[in-house]
Amino acid sequence: MQLNIVHDTQIAYRKLVDSMSRPGTISHFGEQANLIGMEAGCYGTTVLLAMVLLDTEVTFKICSEREEELAKLFNRLTYAREAEAAAADFIFVLNDTKPDQLEQALHAAKTGDLVNPHVSATLIVEAETLTNDTDLVLTGPGIKEANGLRIVTDGCWLELRNEKNSEYPTGIDMIFVDRDNQAVCLPRTTQIRKRVND
Amino acid sequence: MKIAYNFAFFDEGSKREIRRATLKAIAIPGYQVPFASREMPIARGWGTGGLQLTLSLIGKNDVLKVIDQGADESVNAVNIKKLVTGTTGVKTVEVTAEATLIQSRHRIPEIPLKEHQILVLQVPLPEPLRYYEPSEFVTKRLHAEKEYSGAWLMLFEQIMKYGNMSSGADHPVMVHDRYVMAPSPIPRFDNPKMNYSNALILLGAGREKKVYAVPPYTKVVSLAFDDYPFEAERFDGMSCRLCGAAGVFLDELIHEETGETYHQCNDTSFCLSRLNSVSAKYQEVPLNE
């Protein structure tokens, strides 16, 4: 079976809506990601999200050791063009990249301005694993009381993200994906605290 | 089912564009995200914003409910249902609890929404500051600077003129302590239902080309003054003529022949389900008792 561009992307989009409107909710994209049926060199969910979100109207940037190859693939799949990190609408930070590249991407990502806060970047970051352990405590819109989240990844992102989002409503939205085709969203409104052990 | 159109009417590019705007809207609660707003086979101003959101969201397994001012069977609701089912083949229902997607014009259903549901509201005028500032260029900057004295002044003037805040519907709200937002022309009665709602609420304005959102569990406060608190419509001592419900939003009707005034539930599916449960109760009792 192949990925159905109409129905499978719709299912993936609804999961994304669910995760974006309820930060900390881990969605499973395995069923759709496995239908892509190609060895892209990144997680299946990353390619799936690119297919859900990208087209000729937006730009993207890939941070990876194999940037050129993957940029060609994403362009072929979606017709979206690659752009510099500071101008890109979507920034993909892949698992094979150096840890400091995530920091660089966060530094460079556009945050929009107060008049047009929606003209900001969405970062899609490949992490090792995502679980709902209470390593990080999330609060804010979409969260009833507090949600727990644990993201295993090499790069340092938390403080930089907080800095980038300090002047709400400008800021960046992040989507973390893991090896098991799970994804979690952290829109700019989500407040994240590290849990301090007693 | 064989459909002559694309699934959910739109081409995939159009859906993607609306989807990207929707995700941004969810990330910035209350902020009006501009979107392209495609031409639809119904006229702008007749729910095309809500319809476009519904079409971008809907999948084969969704169960759709469309309400027009509380009624499942009025013209606007029926036409939108026909278009959506004609291009998707999804099941439509009237019972609110059974729906996964609810598109509504000017009402939030009486029964509390659930977590898995998405409410899509049709919006004619998304800009709460439009009444005193005609320029979009300026209102965007007023939002940017959180300069809402005009919105307060508007309410103040109503109090000076009429002795109370006379906004019948579409009473402005503050979302997540940042954006003043038009909640669409829902009655004031429904405003509190947006505050910390279980379900995601999406609002679409087709003619004005804006999409905005209230994520679940988000603070939504109706604008009011300390000495003139926000008040929802009250129906003290009134109840529905058909099902007897009190404490719900009632329509006032006048009997054409007798001139008598009576009230009826505005939410027709809520009223119908109450009537059905009452009649089911009677059926349980054998007739000879």
Side-chain angles (χ1 to χ4, degrees):
Chain A
M1 228 170 69
Q2 264 198 326
L3 184 86
N4 184 311
I5 201 72
V6 176
H7 300 297
D8 290 319
T9 50
Q10 182 273 334
I11 295 169
Y13 167 65
R14 281 292 283 277
K15 289 180 180 178
L16 200 57
V17 166
D18 204 32
S19 278
M20 191 62 92
S21 57
R22 298 167 200 280
T25 301
I26 295 174
S27 294
H28 305 268
F29 291 86
E31 206 177 314
Q32 288 73 43
N34 291 335
L35 295 175
I36 291 172
M38 72 167 95
E39 200 46 61
C42 59
Y43 299 166
T45 305
T46 310
V47 181
L48 180 69
L49 292 181
M51 291 170 88
V52 171
L53 297 166
L54 302 186
D55 60 22
T56 49
E57 292 177 23
V58 290
T59 54
F60 69 93
K61 166 78 182 169
I62 291 181
C63 301
S64 162
E65 297 282 287
R66 300 161 58 221
E67 181 186 339
E68 201 177 326
E69 189 186 327
L70 281 158
K72 260 188 197 158
L73 174 77
F74 277 29
N75 174 256
R76 215 181 62 217
L77 284 173
T78 67
Y79 303 108
R81 285 162 296 116
E82 205 189 11
E84 288 302 312
D89 299 309
F90 294 91
I91 302 176
F92 293 84
V93 182
L94 304 188
N95 198 32
D96 65 359
T97 193
K98 295 187 192 94
D100 65 329
Q101 280 224 296
L102 175 55
E103 290 172 35
Q104 284 174 18
L106 274 163
H107 266 301
K110 59 179 178 183
T111 57
D113 56 33
L114 288 168
V115 177
N116 289 306
H118 66 284
V119 188
S120 53
T122 303
L123 271 80
I124 292 138
V125 184
E126 289 189 345
E128 282 297 318
T129 51
L130 301 170
T131 56
N132 278 124
D133 299 334
T134 46
D135 185 24
L136 303 173
V137 181
L138 316 182
T139 52
I143 302 164
K144 203 169 187 179
E145 281 157 6
N147 272 348
L149 183 66
R150 183 159 184 258
I151 301 173
V152 180
T153 182
D154 282 342
C156 298
W157 56 274
L158 189 58
E159 275 165 22
L160 258 174
R161 175 192 175 273
N162 289 348
E163 204 178 291
K164 276 295 232 201
N165 291 348
S166 58
E167 200 179 350
Y168 179 78
T170 62
I172 49 161
D173 309 308
M174 297 181 85
I175 304 170
F176 282 91
V177 292
D178 79 356
R179 284 189 186 282
D180 299 324
N181 290 315
Q182 302 185 113
V184 74
C185 297
L186 298 175
R188 64 195 72 182
T189 48
T190 305
Q191 302 292 315
I192 307 176
R193 280 180 293 120
K194 262 192 179 158
R195 200 177 80 114
V196 183
N197 289 326
D198 302 324
Chain B
M1 180 181 164
K2 193 160 170 51
I3 304 167
Y5 282 93
N6 286 333
F7 180 83
F9 187 74
F10 280 134
D11 58 286
E12 290 307 299
S14 299
K15 284 185 204 166
R16 253 193 308 270
E17 199 264 338
I18 302 165
R19 287 171 181 172
R20 281 193 300 259
T22 309
L23 289 171
K24 274 282 186 276
I26 296 169
I28 318 170
Y31 170 72
Q32 301 164 49
V33 182
F35 82 114
S37 192
R38 283 359 190 210
E39 283 289 332
M40 298 303 293
I42 61 171
R44 288 203 164 138
W46 288 85
T48 51
L51 181 60
Q52 290 180 73
L53 280 173
T54 300
L55 292 172
S56 75
L57 287 161
I58 204 160
K60 283 189 286 190
N61 298 325
D62 271 310
V63 180
L64 177 74
K65 172 182 165 77
V66 184
I67 331 165
D68 172 9
Q69 209 124 34
D72 290 90
E73 287 159 357
S74 63
V75 179
N76 194 228
V78 170
N79 282 331
I80 287 172
K81 261 188 277 199
K82 271 188 187 166
L83 178 69
V84 179
T85 51
T87 55
T88 60
V90 299
K91 186 182 162 196
T92 58
V93 290
E94 294 186 359
V95 182
T96 307
E98 288 175 12
T100 55
L101 255 182
I102 303 167
Q103 181 175 336
S104 174
R105 172 178 174 266
H106 305 187
R107 270 316 303 277
I108 296 177
E110 291 296 348
I111 67 161
L113 299 174
K114 295 190 186 130
E115 285 208 341
H116 69 278
Q117 296 179 312
I118 297 177
L119 176 68
V120 175
L121 288 169
Q122 301 169 198
V123 186
L125 297 168
E127 182 48 73
L129 312 178
R130 186 64 72 234
Y131 290 106
Y132 70 89
E133 178 47 67
S135 161
E136 173 73 8
F137 182 86
V138 176
T139 50
K140 268 190 89 70
R141 272 146 191 84
L142 293 175
H143 281 291
E145 291 161 11
K146 207 181 170 187
E147 168 46 58
Y148 291 130
S149 39
W152 292 101
L153 201 61
M154 211 157 54
L155 297 174
F156 178 73
E157 278 183 2
Q158 289 174 3
I159 294 169
M160 294 313 286
K161 271 188 189 164
Y162 308 111
N164 58 28
M165 289 185 281
S166 60
S167 57
D170 213 353
H171 185 94
V173 293
M174 176 71 88
V175 181
H176 187 45
D177 293 325
R178 178 57 182 83
Y179 283 105
V180 165
M181 181 189 95
S184 86
I186 54 173
R188 277 173 286 144
F189 187 86
D190 285 346
N191 275 19
K193 294 179 192 168
M194 282 193 161
N195 187 29
Y196 290 96
S197 147
N198 289 324
L200 167 67
I201 303 172
L202 297 173
L203 301 101
R207 184 183 48 206
E208 306 291 324
K209 305 184 176 181
K210 294 285 170 64
V211 168
Y212 52 109
V214 178
Y217 311 118
T218 300
K219 187 177 166 191
V220 178
V221 183
S222 303
L223 296 191
F225 298 97
D226 287 346
D227 50 347
Y228 280 87
F230 171 79
E231 276 180 24
E233 293 86 350
R234 286 166 63 170
F235 302 95
D236 296 344
M238 300 169 199
S239 59
C240 173
R241 186 185 62 141
L242 299 173
C243 72
V248 295
F249 193 78
L250 297 168
D251 284 337
E252 187 183 87
L253 302 164
I254 295 167
H255 198 286
E256 280 185 13
E257 283 164 16
T258 62
E260 174 203 359
T261 304
Y262 61 93
H263 294 85
Q264 210 167 295
C265 287
N266 174 267
D267 185 336
T268 54
S269 78
F270 172 79
C271 193
L272 199 65
S273 62
R274 271 177 61 90
L275 287 171
N276 286 339
S277 68
V278 169
S279 69
K281 232 182 251 173
Y282 280 122
Q283 277 167 11
E284 280 167 18
V285 184
L287 285 173
N288 55 1
E289 276 185 16

